[in-house]
Amino acid sequence: MNFIIPISLVDSPQHSSPGHPENPARFRSIRDELSQHLPGKIQWLEPEPIQPDMLTTVHPESYVRFIERRAENGPGIVDYGDTYVTRSSFQDALYAVAATLGTLEAILEASASKGFAIIRPPGHHAASQKAMGFCLFNNIAIASRHAQTMGLQRVAIVDFDVHHGNGTQDIFYADPDVLYISTHQSGIFPGIGTENETGYQEGLGTTINIPFPGGVGDDGFDKTFTAIIQPALYRFRPDILLVSAGYDAHHDDPLAGLQVTGKGYFEITQKLVGYANELCEGRMMMVLEGGYNPEALSSSIRNSCLALAGMNLPETAGTGVRFSEPDIQESLQNIRRIHSL
Ligand SMILES: [Zn+2]
């Protein structure tokens, strides 16, 4: 069965810094790619402006004002790394959040609906009071809280970006109603996300980290979904599935060393669609995080959208794996033990 999928696309053209990998060129071919391959299957959404107080379910007002002031003061860095703002960044980041919330609302208004907020700046490294890793506000965390205010108590977030979503983990670390599952390459930015980080107090057990050695690709992800992600989601029984969809685990991505293929992203999304259909009446939203090779990003997003719409993958979707994958069976067994799966 085919579905119409609500999609927001916010490319924030003024939020740009010379030579920075998180730049508007990432989005240059996404809209055309989707229009061409999913004709009649997309409901393009226009974000409604939101007020800064929509952010305060996650970020205190003092932090929101800090980002606003820093952006007003002109181009600069807002962390100890390379998270930049320009004069437009506060408004751009507000639009990214607005688009995410608008997509969520469109999903909740339709039955068995799945959507995608294709937005920048990304969000999963932003903690409650800290910009980090190109992220200013945590889009998916704000969406999680918004889903809860709309009556969906239990939220599951699956984060398949190649980097650990330290901000999202931190925000929900003691929260038993939000399950956070992250797959990521170990030993790269932000340097946390070990299997022993499992939550705190009431939230103990609702953080699941799956660090990978370099070289893991489609096969490793497939085994991980079977061994950990599927049973963890079925045990948690979420009311909605949110996905931090970063495409920087792609074999052509310049920032990391995993080797997921375009076909792999179709299969990952298809699995998540299946879980959403079985567990939460089909409710599922993907929110873009990383992905720094524009061609790989647009074709991978297209493949995810094909899976969201219940369509098939074209034959031309290649593989491109360069070397054999490391064996992660032992590490998966260890994580199963830690979480009693
Ligand atoms: Zn990333």
Side-chain angles (χ1 to χ4, degrees):
M1 211 168 140
N2 286 354
F3 297 98
I4 306 288
I5 50 173
I7 293 184
S8 301
L9 196 145
V10 172
D11 61 353
S12 304
Q14 309 295 318
H15 177 71
S16 181
S17 181
H20 198 288
E22 205 295 283
N23 64 67
R26 293 173 65 214
F27 278 36
R28 64 186 169 219
S29 52
I30 294 174
R31 189 182 287 270
D32 287 349
E33 184 81 29
L34 294 181
S35 300
Q36 193 186 332
H37 290 270
L38 290 103
K41 295 291 170 203
I42 295 172
Q43 175 197 0
W44 294 102
L45 304 172
E46 288 298 325
E48 300 279 341
I50 59 163
Q51 295 305 313
D53 63 5
M54 291 294 282
L55 310 178
T56 54
T57 51
V58 168
H59 303 287
E61 198 184 336
S62 56
Y63 173 76
V64 175
R65 295 296 163 213
F66 164 74
I67 296 295
E68 183 178 29
R69 260 197 329 274
R70 290 302 301 268
E72 275 170 9
N73 290 340
I77 295 291
V78 290
D79 62 355
Y80 296 104
D82 50 4
T83 307
Y84 66 85
V85 289
T86 64
R87 281 190 202 285
S88 75
S89 295
F90 181 66
Q91 286 306 324
D92 290 333
L94 274 187
Y95 264 108
V97 174
T100 309
L101 299 184
T103 310
L104 176 67
E105 288 174 3
I107 288 168
L108 298 186
E109 280 161 18
S111 65
S113 178
K114 300 173 185 65
F116 204 146
I118 303 170
I119 43 108
R120 60 178 294 277
H124 74 151
H125 295 303
S128 170
Q129 303 190 56
K130 194 162 70 171
M132 197 171 152
F134 322 157
C135 302
L136 302 176
F137 301 126
N138 196 312
N139 306 301
I140 205 161
I142 297 165
S144 302
R145 290 296 183 223
H146 195 60
Q148 289 178 322
T149 65
M150 296 179 80
L152 303 172
Q153 190 195 346
R154 294 171 72 75
V155 178
I157 301 172
V158 173
D159 182 336
F160 62 69
D161 188 279
V162 79
H163 303 99
H164 179 248
N166 59 289
T168 312
Q169 169 171 303
D170 191 58
I171 289 161
F172 299 119
Y173 208 49
D175 190 333
D177 287 330
V178 180
L179 173 66
Y180 177 68
I181 306 176
S182 173
T183 59
H184 47 272
Q185 184 177 351
S186 61
I188 63 170
F189 183 86
I192 64 165
T194 67
E195 56 272 31
N196 294 317
E197 294 162 39
T198 59
Y200 180 61
Q201 292 184 341
E202 299 276 287
L204 194 63
T206 56
T207 294
I208 301 180
N209 280 304
I210 309 162
F212 290 140
V216 166
D218 298 355
D219 186 50
F221 270 83
D222 183 52
K223 289 189 166 79
T224 301
F225 271 82
T226 305
I228 298 169
I229 298 174
Q230 178 172 345
L233 288 172
Y234 276 66
R235 182 170 69 186
F236 183 74
R237 303 203 73 79
D239 297 315
I240 185 166
L241 176 60
L242 304 182
V243 181
S244 263
Y247 292 88
D248 40 12
H250 191 281
H251 59 82
D252 276 340
D253 194 274
L255 260 56
L258 298 192
Q259 45 177 353
V260 178
T261 69
K263 184 164 170 281
Y265 283 117
F266 177 81
E267 289 166 351
I268 286 170
T269 310
Q270 223 178 16
K271 287 186 181 70
L272 292 167
V273 164
Y275 308 151
N277 286 343
E278 290 217 6
L279 295 172
C280 34
E281 296 168 14
R283 291 184 287 264
M284 168 174 166
M285 175 172 69
M286 305 183 80
V287 181
L288 184 65
E289 303 290 355
Y292 302 98
N293 175 316
E295 283 71 37
L297 179 63
S298 63
S299 60
S300 299
I301 288 178
R302 173 202 67 203
N303 292 354
S304 279
C305 289
L306 289 170
L308 291 178
M311 296 167 73
N312 293 321
L313 192 65
E315 292 296 321
T316 49
T319 59
V321 168
R322 290 176 185 159
F323 44 89
S324 62
E325 295 189 31
D327 183 1
I328 56 168
Q329 211 60 47
E330 201 175 311
S331 148
L332 295 181
Q333 285 310 320
N334 183 39
I335 297 166
R336 280 175 62 87
R337 254 195 314 275
I338 289 169
H339 288 279
S340 307
L341 287 167

